[in-house]
Amino acid sequence: MLTRLTLIGALALVLPTLASAQAQAAAPHEAGPAVVVFANGGGGSPLNNLNDAGTADFKTGWSVGGGAGIQINQYLAIRGVFDYLRNKGEVNSIAFPGQRFNNYFYGGDLQLRYPTASGFAPYLLAGAGAVTIDNKDDATFKRFTKFAGKGGLGLEYAFPNTGAGIFLQGTSYIYKFDRGGFNTTQYDILWTAGLSYRFGH
């Protein structure tokens, strides 16, 4: 659990420090409006087991994703997002042992940013969409789609005098997993690093 939360904990410590240093003026490409595209990759894993006994779990997997949106002003962006997570059931799990799962997350979010004069911008994410889950190693498993809520936080650095940026973020998807004899609210967290670009900065 500690390993899974390392990035989120680090970001949570950084955000208050950055937020205390208010910018007198935003960098030119921070003001908006602008079209924003981004891509990211990293890892992901559930924050909870499929059962209370802790005997049904998924391993940490890898993740890629990206999206596009409109940055309305220096503080707010509306984005469409797609994330893909590949993970496996734990080998010793009572459910899906060693079986590969594809998780497709898609939807939209609001990004609330706080740009600073240093070029760093901590941000919060909130949104909703859906998740589609498919078991690649069990032909009897029926792919299913569920509503998913989304929340997250991150830190972006905007390169001066360009539209380019880099970012680190942690995102949690919340949905109902009701297959294989389970009925639980699942919390999948993705921790990723990525690149962004703003057109029309």
Side-chain angles (χ1 to χ4, degrees), residues 22-197:
Q22 292 193 0
Q24 297 301 314
H29 77 278
E30 295 288 341
V35 175
V36 182
V37 295
F38 54 93
N40 50 266
S45 60
L47 291 180
N48 59 307
N49 295 289
L50 294 176
N51 61 4
D52 293 335
T55 56
D57 197 11
F58 290 101
K59 298 174 64 175
T60 295
W62 56 269
S63 173
V64 295
I70 301 296
Q71 184 171 311
I72 297 173
N73 55 43
Q74 60 182 321
Y75 303 110
L76 176 65
I78 301 174
R79 316 184 311 164
V81 181
F82 173 81
D83 284 310
Y84 168 79
L85 171 64
R86 162 64 71 84
N87 60 3
K88 294 182 179 181
E90 289 281 4
V91 175
N92 296 322
S93 175
I94 65 171
F96 319 118
Q99 296 177 15
R100 298 171 298 167
F101 276 75
N102 290 334
N103 303 306
Y104 307 92
F105 303 97
Y106 38 91
D109 64 34
L110 294 177
Q111 183 192 50
L112 302 177
R113 309 172 69 252
Y114 190 89
T116 67
S118 65
F120 287 97
Y123 60 85
L124 298 175
L125 299 173
V131 55
T132 298
I133 299 177
D134 188 23
N135 185 334
K136 302 302 294 181
D137 294 323
D138 184 353
T140 66
F141 185 94
K142 294 184 178 180
R143 174 189 295 199
F144 68 98
T145 298
K146 291 289 185 178
F147 170 82
K150 177 183 180 181
L153 52 83
L155 179 66
E156 183 180 24
Y157 176 75
F159 292 100
N161 304 315
T162 74
I166 58 175
F167 62 89
L168 296 171
Q169 71 178 23
T171 304
S172 179
Y173 288 96
I174 306 168
Y175 59 93
K176 181 70 71 173
F177 192 106
D178 57 1
R179 295 297 189 275
F182 301 99
N183 187 13
T184 184
T185 300
Q186 192 73 355
Y187 299 84
D188 286 348
I189 188 166
L190 310 183
W191 57 93
T192 58
L195 302 173
S196 62
Y197 192 85

